[in-house]
Amino acid sequence: MRSEGHIGFNMILAVPVFFFYSGNIYSTGLWIWFIFFIGMATWPDIDLKFELKHRGYTHTILGALFFGIVSGLIMYSQPKYILYSFLGGFLGTLGHIVGDLLTYLKFRPLWPLSNKKFALGLFRADDRNINMMFLKIGTILFTTTLLFKLLKQY
């Protein structure tokens, strides 16, 4: 998927978290989680910038763990938010991986636990219409959920 597709897809995945979140919608921890969750939606594709094998190590559960740790370290100066940032980075990367599983190109998301390659083959990763659809649907669903939660508090 392209960056906009991954961001939209992760926004769709974030909707249930916000919808069922029982705490205050203004919770700093929730928003730190969200920032890292959406922020990491595109990080696994850093392999393209460094001309590494695409959908290699950065698209694995080990890569997700690495990006989660990096996210946690970014919040090192704010210890009470390290877990939120770690979970945002880890789960955001997993969201990226799930999005890529929907495309045709097979890869090893469970490495190092398994070398089996997976792909559901539902669409081409570079399909602009599909990527924009994910972005638009994600934006609409997330915004609607957020407005619902905000209005419900009053």
Side-chain angles (χ1 to χ4, degrees):
M1 289 173 70
R2 297 164 53 95
S3 294
E4 61 272 15
H6 281 298
I7 291 168
F9 188 75
N10 273 22
M11 288 178 82
I12 293 168
L13 296 176
V15 165
V17 173
F18 273 78
F19 186 80
F20 292 110
Y21 184 72
S22 61
N24 186 327
I25 198 71
Y26 297 106
S27 164
T28 303
L30 176 67
W31 285 100
I32 286 174
W33 173 85
F34 179 72
I35 288 166
F36 282 94
F37 185 76
I38 298 302
M40 287 299 170
T42 61
W43 270 48
D45 286 340
I46 199 168
D47 56 4
L48 295 169
K49 295 190 184 344
F50 290 105
E51 298 180 10
L52 301 170
K53 180 180 181 271
H54 186 50
R55 295 191 183 177
Y57 299 118
T58 62
H59 288 69
T60 66
I61 56 171
L62 186 62
L65 183 61
F66 172 78
F67 288 127
I69 291 169
V70 168
S71 298
L73 290 174
I74 289 171
M75 294 303 294
Y76 180 75
S77 66
Q78 299 290 319
K80 66 182 177 178
Y81 298 121
I82 290 175
L83 181 60
Y84 294 101
S85 59
F86 167 79
L87 289 173
F90 177 70
L91 295 173
T93 304
L94 289 181
H96 178 105
I97 292 168
V98 170
D100 278 347
L101 282 170
L102 301 176
T103 68
Y104 290 116
L105 183 62
K106 290 186 174 190
F107 64 104
R108 296 176 174 95
L110 299 176
W111 187 87
L113 302 176
S114 171
N115 280 322
K116 185 167 172 55
K117 289 185 175 185
F118 297 93
L120 296 175
L122 301 178
F123 55 86
R124 289 176 46 93
D126 63 351
D127 186 321
R128 282 182 144 320
N129 292 325
I130 295 289
N131 281 282
M132 288 309 295
M133 178 194 73
F134 277 120
L135 181 60
K136 289 175 183 177
I137 290 172
T139 301
I140 290 167
L141 287 176
F142 182 76
T143 303
T144 302
T145 302
L146 188 57
L147 288 172
F148 172 78
K149 292 293 281 192
L150 288 170
L151 293 173
K152 190 177 173 185
Q153 286 187 347
Y154 296 105

